[in-house]
Amino acid sequence: MKRREFLTLPGSSLGGVLLYTLAGEPVRMQAQTGEIKVPLRFFTSAEARVVQAACDRIFPSDASGPGATEAGVVIYIDRQLAGPYGRDKYRYTKPPFVESVPEHGYQGKAAPREIYREGIQKLGDFASLAPAARDEKLRGIETSTFFRLLRQHTIEGMFSDPLHGGNAGMIGWQLIGYPGPRMSYREEIDKAPGQAYRQKPASLAQIVGHPVTGWEDEKG
Amino acid sequence: MPQIKPVDVVIAGGGFVGLTLAKEITARTSLSVLVVERGQPRKLADYAAGMDELDYALRFRMMQNLSEETATHRHSAKAAAVPIRQYGSFNPGTGVGGAGEHWGGISYRFYPEAFRLASFLREKHGGTLPENLAVQDWGLSYEEIEPYYWRAEQMIGVGGRAGNLGGKAVDGGNVFEGPRSHEYPIPPHKQTYATTLFEKAARGLGYHPYPVPTATLSRTYTNPDGVTRTGCAYCGYCTRYGCMIGAKAQPTNLLMPLLAKRKNFELRTGCSVRRVVHQDGKATGLTYRDETGAEVFQPAQIVIVASWTLNNSRLLMLSRVGQPYDAATGKGTLGKNLTHQVSQATRVFLDKPLNAFMGAGGLGIGISDFDGKEGVDRFAGVLRGGNIRLMSTGEGPVGGFGAIPPGEVQSEWGSDWKKAALAWHDRVASISSEAEHLAYRQNYLDLDPTYKDQYGDALMRLTLDWTAHERAQGAMLGQIQGQIGKAMGGRVGPPNSRLLERYTVTQYQSTHVNGGAIMGTAPESSVVNPWLQHWQMANLWVVGGSAFPQNGSGNPTLTILALTLRAADGLIDRYLKKPGELA
Ligand SMILES: Cc1cc2nc3c(=O)[nH]c(=O)nc-3n(C[C@H](O)[C@H](O)[C@H](O)COP(=O)(O)OP(=O)(O)OC[C@H]3O[C@@H](n4cnc5c(N)ncnc54)[C@H](O)[C@@H]3O)c2cc1C
């Protein structure tokens, strides 16, 4: 049997409540302490650390607010790769695989999880590098299919519904002032033009009042 | 092969068209009607839990599963086609309601002269038309389709403001549209900050803005079938999603409630139609693969193909009905006149937040001053134009992230990028266009010789590319978009000129793919007659956007539904009384 792999994170790194100072600078309030052990579905612990380090350079935690690490982006990506998307359940994967013009997009055989495995391997000791060296490494692979996926998935993990494993504490939504999926803006749609409508975000599960299963968790 | 009880009418495809036909036939006749749909049933109650951008807008959870079936594309007959392996410049639907469940609801009429485009262009330009132009007349005039537009508008509940009532221009509507016999069934939507800015700017420039017509109900409405739907809540989970309150016209809340009560109606889901069966010039039924994997022959008196543009042509080709089009000789009709729609968009960076997550698929303001025949003569090489509009369709937090004025940051990731993306977030609007796509001899459909679907049947192959005309249309529209964007007080990004360089499969444009089994005045030049009845097989009807000889500029579904209602009239009021060729 495959040994269970975990990603160990300091509890204080994940999610949290964002407050804005009068100057508009985000300030993080943290409640959690201790360690969180997140069971991994696809990555090995070592792989998860590389991906986390890379996502953290793509969407860093810095003066403009929290980033991929606080949002738990690596957890989001791990679940996507373990699920049907990562296995290419919904992509046309019949041969022959022929290289074509860029307008035809990715024509390769490898599924996202294979692209990641190979991409991570090429990053080698990435997680132990200093930030500047990490950036340099990423610059070197910027045009690769792997990096394009990684960048796209980082944004998805920041801002998709927390039901998919990222956007912990809806920290991504707090960052951009997104209120979450709401049933109605009938009253608000044409009120206060040009003024931000900013509410404390609510997740889909909170809105519908029951847990929602993501596509990645579907059987089969 | 198990053979089952014959039915009077069998319909391949339970989408917008198939279920509309079933509604008409079961209401007005006692014929037994069976709809065979490859996907699964749906209900409104499922849609609230579908307010999830990742699964629905980014992973296309409601769309056709491409691993089972896709299409292939090549830019010319000389190039090799490859599969569209992932979505995609268009998004075919599946399941009960088809793409009609996750459409945006925008409901334009086409222009009167668009129905006689070949004649119109010849009269206007004589011999100077581009080589290889293959536009044709529809065999149906605007006057003939107008009552069906009106019926379709009432059925789905289109909100808008008429711009031409019985030939009189009405300020505030699209003054360039064809004459309407009636005002829209309901008023337009409320508007947002962004669409209001666009309206003011367009008006200030002397253009004629109008609310985009839409079937996403501005208020509660009861249609002539007695179906009541509630008004839109502007939640923004609209295009690519099912509407949980049923404000958007969707077959599941518009047609299924009626059909569920009809004794002469049956729906079989999870059943993929593979062939139209025919003998001695007459359709005898169809075969499908059912959910258990068994191949079934369903006999029927009348066969209707309503499986969306690409599958309509594909089913005919696989079934060897009609003569496939040969681009080299111009002979044959099946597969010819494939069109998409010409898209162009310009981003406008504004100084105030837009709350762009609020909206509806059809909420917007448009102008048509450079649409159809209007305004194009000032632009070299442009024969037909397109609409220009700003839509508040409801922006998702993932898809809406990262729009930054060009040149502001060097990288697309890292601290500087993040800071800029956050600073601009929710302050970016897009002015977009859809222009008429003319038909050309070199754009067509045929069966792919290499790639197969899950059953081993050949995929549809699209041979399709843009020409100088589409690039000229794009340049014209981009220029006006930029002009309006500046007048809105925004910083304006460059128009997306790369999109029209070459047909690009990787960028969504619209699911307005049409043609292939086109209607027309003669069997030599078309597949179906103006009633959408097959020229060679009087008891076979091929219904949908597959019948468009070329594409109009507005979104196509209202025209598709008008043609569908007219086909139903032809079938019920004429064919059943006197079976045989109607035209
Ligand atoms: C994201 C999106 C947004 C859109 N927005 C707009 C808009 O705002 N305005 C507009 O005018 N149009 C819009 N459209 C287009 C609109 O959805 C279509 O024009 C319309 O649904 C066409 O109706 P149809 O019945 O031909 O196809 P569909 O509604 O797609 O139905 C076809 C049905 O046939 C079934 N089928 C296919 N092959 C088989 C087979 N072999 N066996 C059995 N069943 C089969 C499919 O599963 C499907 O249910 C949009 C489309 C999409 C995808």
Side-chain angles (χ1 to χ4, degrees):
Chain A
M1 217 182 89
K2 194 173 166 267
R3 195 168 59 93
R4 291 213 75 173
E5 298 270 346
F6 292 92
L7 178 67
T8 308
L9 299 167
S12 59
S13 71
L14 211 56
V17 178
L18 276 185
L19 296 175
Y20 285 86
T21 65
L22 285 178
E25 298 294 323
V27 179
R28 220 163 307 151
M29 307 289 291
Q30 288 296 352
Q32 303 105 315
T33 46
E35 274 190 349
I36 304 174
K37 274 179 97 170
V38 184
L40 292 165
R41 298 185 186 177
F42 171 71
F43 292 134
T44 64
S45 310
E47 285 172 332
R49 277 195 298 277
V50 172
V51 170
Q52 186 176 34
C55 295
D56 187 62
R57 296 316 298 157
I58 292 171
F59 207 106
S61 177
D62 58 15
S64 66
T69 300
E70 289 94 332
V73 163
V74 61
I75 301 165
Y76 162 82
I77 297 178
D78 180 63
R79 293 194 192 171
Q80 286 292 310
L81 295 180
Y85 164 79
R87 286 183 276 116
D88 260 349
K89 195 170 168 210
Y90 303 106
R91 193 170 75 96
Y92 185 81
T93 50
K94 289 193 188 16
F97 294 92
V98 190
E99 277 290 309
S100 190
V101 291
E103 294 86 30
H104 285 145
Y106 175 63
Q107 287 289 326
K109 183 168 190 236
R113 41 159 74 192
E114 290 150 3
I115 295 170
Y116 265 83
R117 276 254 131 95
E118 200 194 308
I120 294 167
Q121 192 143 37
K122 285 205 183 127
L123 286 178
D125 59 352
F126 189 85
S128 60
L129 299 178
R134 289 180 181 175
D135 285 355
E136 202 183 306
K137 260 209 156 155
L138 292 180
R139 293 258 171 258
I141 60 163
E142 245 177 1
T143 57
S144 68
T145 304
F146 169 56
F147 184 82
R148 280 208 298 269
L149 284 183
L150 191 61
R151 179 187 177 276
Q152 172 62 24
H153 294 163
T154 302
I155 300 174
E156 289 170 3
M158 282 303 303
F159 300 116
S160 59
D161 195 283
L163 75 92
H164 297 290
N167 190 13
M170 292 177 274
I171 202 161
W173 287 355
Q174 296 177 58
L175 196 57
I176 57 173
Y178 179 67
R182 299 282 168 131
M183 296 281 190
S184 175
Y185 298 115
R186 225 179 243 135
E187 300 311 317
E188 295 84 357
I189 180 109
D190 58 351
K191 295 276 143 58
Q195 286 174 42
Y197 173 85
R198 299 292 178 257
Q199 295 281 311
K200 189 168 173 280
S203 70
L204 183 54
Q206 287 169 340
I207 290 291
V208 297
H210 58 80
V212 177
T213 309
W215 216 7
E216 64 273 19
D217 289 323
E218 279 221 331
K219 304 272 173 297
Chain B
M1 192 180 298
Q3 174 173 333
I4 31 185
K5 200 168 146 258
V7 294
D8 295 320
V9 182
V10 67
I11 301 176
F16 225 145
V17 168
L19 294 175
T20 299
L21 284 167
K23 170 188 84 88
E24 290 291 313
I25 301 170
T26 53
R28 291 158 60 186
T29 76
S30 58
L31 299 183
S32 57
V33 176
L34 167 67
V35 170
V36 183
E37 164 59 41
R38 65 178 171 188
Q40 295 304 316
R42 292 178 166 133
K43 50 185 190 318
L44 285 199
D46 301 335
Y47 288 157
M51 291 193 292
D52 176 32
E53 184 191 13
L54 185 81
D55 278 355
Y56 290 86
L58 299 166
R59 300 275 187 265
F60 309 101
R61 195 166 175 177
M62 292 180 82
M63 279 71 159
Q64 175 176 311
N65 179 349
L66 294 189
S67 77
E68 296 171 351
E69 182 188 324
T70 184
T72 70
H73 173 262
R74 57 182 183 171
H75 288 96
S76 77
K78 280 186 238 110
V82 294
I84 299 171
R85 292 193 182 274
Q86 56 262 309
Y87 285 112
S89 48
F90 53 87
N91 296 341
T94 193
V96 175
E101 293 298 295
H102 51 73
W103 71 315
I106 303 173
S107 297
Y108 275 81
R109 293 181 175 193
F110 289 174
Y111 291 99
E113 75 284 356
F115 292 95
R116 48 183 300 274
L117 193 63
S119 304
F120 173 83
L121 289 178
R122 243 183 283 114
E123 286 157 20
K124 187 171 171 192
H125 299 277
T128 62
L129 291 168
E131 221 187 324
N132 286 340
L133 198 67
V135 297
Q136 290 185 195
D137 292 353
W138 293 50
L140 179 75
S141 66
Y142 178 77
E143 291 67 35
E144 284 171 291
I145 201 176
E146 204 282 336
Y148 294 99
Y149 268 143
W150 171 234
R151 266 172 66 185
E153 283 163 348
Q154 292 175 88
M155 179 176 91
I156 62 178
V158 182
R161 194 170 295 135
N164 179 347
L165 265 177
K168 255 211 225 89
V170 188
D171 190 39
N174 178 7
V175 293
F176 304 110
E177 70 183 357
R180 291 174 178 273
S181 54
H182 302 79
E183 176 55 274
Y184 280 98
I186 57 167
H189 274 312
K190 293 180 176 184
Q191 295 297 326
T192 64
Y193 175 55
T195 63
T196 310
L197 280 183
F198 177 89
E199 174 166 26
K200 279 204 196 100
R203 199 174 285 286
L205 289 164
Y207 302 140
H208 299 82
Y210 56 82
V212 167
T214 172
T216 44
L217 294 195
S218 58
R219 61 160 166 75
T220 303
Y221 171 73
T222 303
N223 77 4
D225 295 319
V227 175
T228 300
R229 287 148 52 211
T230 185
C232 175
Y234 306 106
C235 75
Y237 287 84
C238 196
T239 308
R240 294 187 182 76
Y241 304 87
C243 174
M244 61 184 161
I245 59 170
K248 182 168 72 176
Q250 307 165 133
T252 44
N253 61 305
L254 188 73
L255 305 169
M256 285 310 289
L258 298 166
L259 287 166
K261 288 189 223 133
R262 304 231 167 111
K263 291 200 173 60
N264 52 343
F265 172 74
E266 191 195 340
L267 173 66
R268 268 177 226 156
T269 53
C271 298
S272 277
V273 176
R274 297 191 57 205
R275 299 289 184 274
V276 173
V277 184
H278 53 97
Q279 203 174 7
D280 308 323
K282 203 173 175 307
T284 55
L286 41 78
T287 58
Y288 63 84
R289 186 77 67 105
D290 76 7
E291 241 163 346
T292 68
E295 201 79 20
V296 178
F297 172 57
Q298 173 62 59
Q301 294 296 321
I302 296 170
V303 176
I304 302 177
V305 178
S307 53
W308 191 63
T309 308
L310 296 184
N311 266 352
N312 281 2
S313 282
R314 182 163 172 263
L315 274 175
L316 296 184
M317 289 177 193
L318 290 169
S319 311
R320 299 180 181 282
V321 177
Q323 198 193 350
Y325 171 69
D326 180 344
T329 64
K331 294 231 163 61
T333 52
L334 178 56
K336 74 178 204 169
N337 287 36
L338 168 66
T339 52
H340 199 162
Q341 215 161 30
V342 183
S343 303
Q344 180 62 288
T346 297
R347 276 182 172 152
V348 188
F349 299 87
L350 294 154
D351 57 0
K352 294 207 177 103
L354 305 177
N355 300 324
F357 45 81
M358 301 180 188
L363 193 168
I365 298 285
I367 64 162
S368 285
D369 297 75
F370 303 87
D371 196 359
K373 63 177 164 35
E374 228 45 61
V376 297
D377 294 343
R378 291 201 276 124
F379 295 85
V382 181
L383 299 171
R384 301 289 293 172
N387 52 48
I388 298 172
R389 55 201 188 191
L390 194 149
M391 306 293 304
S392 290
T393 58
E395 183 179 84
V398 177
F401 190 81
I404 301 167
E408 196 163 302
V409 284
Q410 297 308 311
S411 181
E412 291 207 301
W413 55 276
S415 269
D416 291 349
W417 165 79
K418 176 191 164 200
K419 191 173 168 203
L422 288 174
W424 281 106
H425 189 75
D426 199 27
R427 292 201 283 136
V428 189
S430 171
I431 302 178
S432 62
S433 291
E434 280 173 338
E436 290 189 17
H437 185 206
L438 304 180
Y440 300 92
R441 281 181 62 158
Q442 68 272 18
N443 292 338
Y444 64 98
L445 297 169
D446 65 359
L447 292 176
D448 191 279
T450 309
Y451 294 99
K452 310 276 186 251
D453 71 5
Q454 57 181 334
Y455 309 118
D457 284 334
L459 296 182
M460 191 86 281
R461 175 168 68 179
L462 285 63
T463 304
L464 176 65
D465 204 1
W466 306 120
T467 74
H469 181 252
E470 290 77 63
R471 287 187 277 274
Q473 288 174 303
M476 169 184 82
L477 294 164
Q479 185 185 324
I480 308 298
Q481 289 169 353
Q483 182 198 29
I484 300 174
K486 282 206 195 82
M488 287 170 68
R491 270 165 80 176
V492 171
N496 187 351
S497 57
R498 268 185 34 220
L499 192 61
L500 295 169
E501 273 305 305
R502 277 159 61 84
Y503 186 81
T504 301
V505 163
T506 52
Q507 265 200 58
Y508 185 74
Q509 289 155 56
S510 69
T511 306
H512 309 162
V513 180
N514 291 307
I518 69 171
M519 59 195 280
T521 49
E524 296 73 42
S525 54
S526 52
V527 173
V528 292
N529 66 28
W531 299 100
L532 309 196
Q533 179 189 35
H534 199 279
W535 281 113
Q536 274 98 42
M537 239 173 244
N539 69 336
L540 175 66
W541 302 65
V542 187
V543 188
S546 51
F548 291 11
Q550 55 274 332
N551 211 351
S553 61
N555 308 49
T557 306
L558 188 74
T559 303
I560 293 173
L561 293 177
L563 290 178
T564 302
L565 292 172
R566 189 167 183 273
D569 273 8
L571 197 152
I572 297 165
D573 299 335
R574 293 166 189 249
Y575 177 83
L576 290 180
K577 298 207 170 103
K578 191 166 173 290
E581 208 59 61
L582 293 189

